[in-house]
Coordinates of all heavy atoms in Angstrom, one line a residue:
E1 N 77.6 112.8 100.7 CA 78.6 111.9 101.4 C 79.3 111.0 100.4 O 80.5 110.8 100.4 CB 77.9 111.0 102.4 CG 77.5 111.8 103.7 CD 78.7 112.2 104.5 OE1 79.7 111.5 104.6 OE2 78.6 113.3 105.0
Q2 N 78.5 110.4 99.5 CA 79.2 109.6 98.5 C 80.1 110.3 97.6 O 81.2 109.8 97.2 CB 78.1 108.9 97.6 CG 77.3 107.9 98.3 CD 76.1 107.3 97.5 OE1 75.7 108.0 96.5 NE2 75.6 106.2 97.9
S3 N 79.8 111.6 97.2 CA 80.7 112.4 96.4 C 81.9 112.7 97.2 O 83.0 112.7 96.6 CB 79.9 113.6 96.0 OG 78.8 113.3 95.2
E4 N 81.8 113.0 98.4 CA 83.0 113.4 99.3 C 83.9 112.2 99.4 O 85.1 112.3 99.2 CB 82.6 113.8 100.6 CG 81.9 115.2 100.7 CD 81.2 115.5 102.0 OE1 81.1 114.6 102.8 OE2 80.9 116.7 102.2
I5 N 83.3 111.0 99.6 CA 84.2 109.8 99.7 C 84.9 109.5 98.3 O 86.1 109.1 98.3 CB 83.3 108.6 100.0 CG1 82.8 108.7 101.5 CG2 84.0 107.3 99.9 CD1 81.7 107.7 101.9
A6 N 84.2 109.8 97.2 CA 84.8 109.5 95.9 C 86.0 110.5 95.7 O 87.0 110.1 95.1 CB 83.7 109.7 94.8
V7 N 85.8 111.8 96.1 CA 86.9 112.7 96.0 C 88.1 112.3 96.8 O 89.3 112.3 96.3 CB 86.4 114.1 96.4 CG1 87.6 115.1 96.5 CG2 85.4 114.7 95.4
E8 N 87.9 111.9 98.0 CA 89.0 111.5 98.9 C 89.7 110.2 98.4 O 90.9 110.1 98.4 CB 88.5 111.3 100.3 CG 88.0 112.5 101.0 CD 87.3 112.3 102.3 OE1 86.9 111.1 102.5 OE2 87.1 113.2 103.1
E9 N 88.9 109.3 97.9 CA 89.5 108.1 97.3 C 90.3 108.4 96.1 O 91.4 107.8 95.9 CB 88.3 107.1 97.0 CG 88.8 105.7 96.5 CD 88.7 105.6 95.0 OE1 88.1 106.5 94.4 OE2 89.3 104.6 94.5
A10 N 89.8 109.3 95.2 CA 90.6 109.6 94.0 C 91.9 110.3 94.4 O 92.9 110.1 93.7 CB 89.7 110.5 93.1
Q11 N 91.8 111.2 95.4 CA 93.1 111.9 95.8 C 94.1 110.8 96.2 O 95.3 110.9 95.9 CB 92.8 112.8 97.0 CG 92.0 114.1 96.6 CD 91.9 115.1 97.7 OE1 92.2 116.3 97.5 NE2 91.5 114.7 98.9
E12 N 93.7 109.9 97.0 CA 94.6 108.8 97.5 C 95.2 108.0 96.3 O 96.3 107.6 96.3 CB 94.0 107.9 98.5 CG 93.6 108.7 99.8 CD 92.8 107.8 100.7 OE1 92.5 106.6 100.4 OE2 92.5 108.3 101.8
R13 N 94.3 107.7 95.3 CA 94.7 106.9 94.2 C 95.7 107.7 93.3 O 96.7 107.1 92.8 CB 93.5 106.5 93.3 CG 92.8 105.3 93.9 CD 92.0 104.6 92.8 NE 90.9 105.5 92.4 CZ 90.6 105.8 91.1 NH1 91.4 105.4 90.1 NH2 89.6 106.5 90.8
I14 N 95.6 109.0 93.2 CA 96.5 109.8 92.4 C 97.9 109.7 93.1 O 98.9 109.5 92.4 CB 96.0 111.3 92.3 CG1 94.8 111.3 91.4 CG2 97.1 112.2 91.8 CD1 94.2 112.7 91.4
Q15 N 98.0 109.9 94.4 CA 99.3 109.9 95.0 C 99.9 108.5 94.9 O 101.1 108.4 94.6 CB 99.1 110.2 96.5 CG 98.6 111.6 96.7 CD 98.2 111.9 98.2 OE1 98.2 111.0 99.0 NE2 97.7 113.1 98.4
A16 N 99.1 107.4 95.0 CA 99.7 106.1 94.8 C 100.1 105.9 93.4 O 101.1 105.2 93.1 CB 98.6 105.0 95.3
A17 N 99.3 106.4 92.4 CA 99.6 106.2 91.0 C 100.9 106.9 90.6 O 101.7 106.4 89.8 CB 98.5 106.6 90.2
Q18 N 101.1 108.1 91.2 CA 102.3 108.9 90.9 C 103.5 108.1 91.4 O 104.6 108.1 90.7 CB 102.2 110.3 91.5 CG 101.2 111.2 90.8 CD 100.9 112.5 91.5 OE1 101.3 112.7 92.6 NE2 100.4 113.5 90.7
A19 N 103.5 107.6 92.6 CA 104.6 106.8 93.1 C 104.8 105.5 92.2 O 106.0 105.1 91.9 CB 104.3 106.4 94.5
L20 N 103.7 104.9 91.7 CA 103.8 103.8 90.9 C 104.5 104.1 89.5 O 105.3 103.3 89.0 CB 102.4 103.2 90.6 CG 102.3 102.0 89.7 CD1 103.1 100.8 90.3 CD2 100.9 101.6 89.4
V21 N 104.2 105.3 89.0 CA 104.8 105.7 87.7 C 106.3 105.9 87.9 O 107.1 105.5 87.0 CB 104.1 107.0 87.2 CG1 104.9 107.6 86.0 CG2 102.7 106.7 86.7
A22 N 106.7 106.5 89.0 CA 108.1 106.7 89.2 C 108.8 105.4 89.4 O 109.9 105.2 88.8 CB 108.3 107.6 90.5
S23 N 108.3 104.4 90.1 CA 108.9 103.1 90.2 C 109.0 102.4 88.9 O 110.0 101.8 88.5 CB 108.1 102.3 91.2 OG 108.2 102.9 92.5
A24 N 107.9 102.5 88.1 CA 107.9 101.8 86.8 C 108.9 102.4 85.8 O 109.5 101.7 85.0 CB 106.4 101.9 86.2
Q25 N 109.0 103.7 85.9 CA 110.0 104.4 85.0 C 111.4 103.9 85.3 O 112.3 103.7 84.4 CB 109.9 105.9 85.1 CG 108.7 106.5 84.4 CD 108.5 108.0 84.7 OE1 109.0 108.5 85.7 NE2 107.8 108.6 83.8
E26 N 111.7 103.9 86.6 CA 113.1 103.4 87.0 C 113.3 101.9 86.7 O 114.4 101.6 86.2 CB 113.2 103.6 88.5 CG 114.5 103.2 89.1 CD 115.7 103.9 88.6 OE1 115.5 105.0 88.0 OE2 116.9 103.5 88.7
N27 N 112.3 101.1 86.9 CA 112.4 99.7 86.5 C 112.6 99.5 85.0 O 113.4 98.7 84.6 CB 111.1 99.0 86.9 CG 111.2 97.5 86.7 OD1 112.2 96.8 87.0 ND2 110.1 96.9 86.1
F28 N 111.9 100.3 84.2 CA 112.1 100.2 82.8 C 113.5 100.7 82.3 O 114.1 100.1 81.5 CB 111.0 101.1 82.0 CG 111.2 101.1 80.5 CD1 110.9 100.0 79.8 CD2 111.7 102.2 79.9 CE1 111.1 100.0 78.4 CE2 111.9 102.3 78.5 CZ 111.6 101.2 77.8
R29 N 114.0 101.8 83.0 CA 115.3 102.3 82.7 C 116.3 101.2 83.0 O 117.3 101.0 82.1 CB 115.6 103.5 83.5 CG 116.9 104.2 83.1 CD 117.2 105.4 84.1 NE 117.4 104.9 85.4 CZ 118.6 104.4 85.8 NH1 119.6 104.3 85.0 NH2 118.8 104.0 87.1
L30 N 116.2 100.5 84.1 CA 117.2 99.5 84.4 C 117.1 98.3 83.5 O 118.1 97.7 83.0 CB 116.9 99.0 85.9 CG 117.2 100.0 87.0 CD1 116.8 99.5 88.3 CD2 118.7 100.4 86.9
A31 N 115.8 97.9 83.1 CA 115.6 96.8 82.2 C 116.2 97.1 80.8 O 116.8 96.2 80.2 CB 114.1 96.4 82.1
Q32 N 116.0 98.3 80.4 CA 116.5 98.8 79.1 C 118.0 98.7 79.1 O 118.6 98.3 78.1 CB 116.0 100.2 78.8 CG 116.4 100.7 77.4 CD 115.6 100.1 76.3 OE1 114.3 100.3 76.3 NE2 116.2 99.3 75.4
G33 N 118.6 99.2 80.2 CA 120.1 99.2 80.3 C 120.6 97.7 80.2 O 121.6 97.5 79.6
R34 N 120.0 96.8 81.0 CA 120.4 95.4 81.0 C 120.3 94.8 79.6 O 121.2 94.0 79.2 CB 119.6 94.7 82.1 CG 120.0 95.0 83.5 CD 119.0 94.4 84.5 NE 118.9 92.9 84.3 CZ 119.7 92.1 84.8 NH1 120.8 92.5 85.5 NH2 119.6 90.8 84.6
F35 N 119.2 95.1 78.9 CA 119.0 94.5 77.6 C 120.0 95.1 76.6 O 120.6 94.3 75.8 CB 117.5 94.9 77.1 CG 117.2 94.2 75.8 CD1 116.9 92.9 75.7 CD2 117.2 95.0 74.6 CE1 116.6 92.4 74.4 CE2 116.9 94.5 73.4 CZ 116.6 93.1 73.3
D36 N 120.2 96.4 76.7 CA 121.2 97.0 75.8 C 122.6 96.4 76.0 O 123.5 96.3 75.1 CB 121.2 98.5 75.9 CG 119.9 99.1 75.4 OD1 119.2 98.4 74.6 OD2 119.6 100.2 75.7
A37 N 122.9 96.1 77.3 CA 124.2 95.6 77.7 C 124.3 94.1 77.4 O 125.4 93.5 77.5 CB 124.5 95.8 79.2
G38 N 123.2 93.5 77.0 CA 123.3 92.1 76.6 C 123.1 91.1 77.8 O 123.3 89.9 77.6
V39 N 122.8 91.6 79.0 CA 122.6 90.7 80.1 C 121.2 90.6 80.5 O 120.9 89.8 81.4 CB 123.4 91.3 81.3 CG1 124.9 91.3 81.0 CG2 123.0 92.7 81.7
G40 N 120.3 91.4 79.9 CA 118.8 91.2 80.2 C 118.1 90.5 79.1 O 118.6 90.5 78.0
T41 N 116.9 90.0 79.4 CA 116.2 89.3 78.4 C 115.1 90.2 77.8 O 114.7 91.2 78.4 CB 115.5 88.0 79.0 OG1 114.6 88.4 80.0 CG2 116.6 87.1 79.7
I42 N 114.5 89.8 76.7 CA 113.5 90.5 76.1 C 112.2 90.4 76.9 O 111.4 91.4 77.0 CB 113.2 90.0 74.6 CG1 112.2 90.9 73.9 CG2 112.7 88.5 74.7 CD1 112.7 92.2 73.6
L43 N 112.0 89.3 77.6 CA 110.8 89.2 78.5 C 110.9 90.2 79.6 O 109.9 90.8 80.0 CB 110.7 87.7 79.0 CG 110.4 86.7 78.0 CD1 110.4 85.3 78.6 CD2 109.0 86.9 77.3

């Protein structure tokens, strides 16, 4: 039972992590563009 729960939990975390990576990549792309354009900050 514990092993089954761990597998199901890991499956859900993978799906959430993949969505998080996609959002973080888009956020970084936008921040990089703003910084290169001189309107974004280094922070």
Side-chain angles (χ1 to χ4, degrees):
E1 286 294 322
Q2 290 175 339
S3 300
E4 291 169 345
I5 292 171
V7 170
E8 293 172 341
E9 184 260 350
Q11 287 188 134
E12 294 174 358
R13 278 201 293 126
I14 288 174
Q15 296 170 359
Q18 289 174 342
L20 177 62
V21 169
S23 298
Q25 287 174 335
E26 179 62 18
N27 183 48
F28 176 74
R29 186 186 66 81
L30 295 174
Q32 184 75 62
R34 287 170 56 81
F35 183 78
D36 292 342
V39 295
T41 65
I42 188 68
L43 292 177

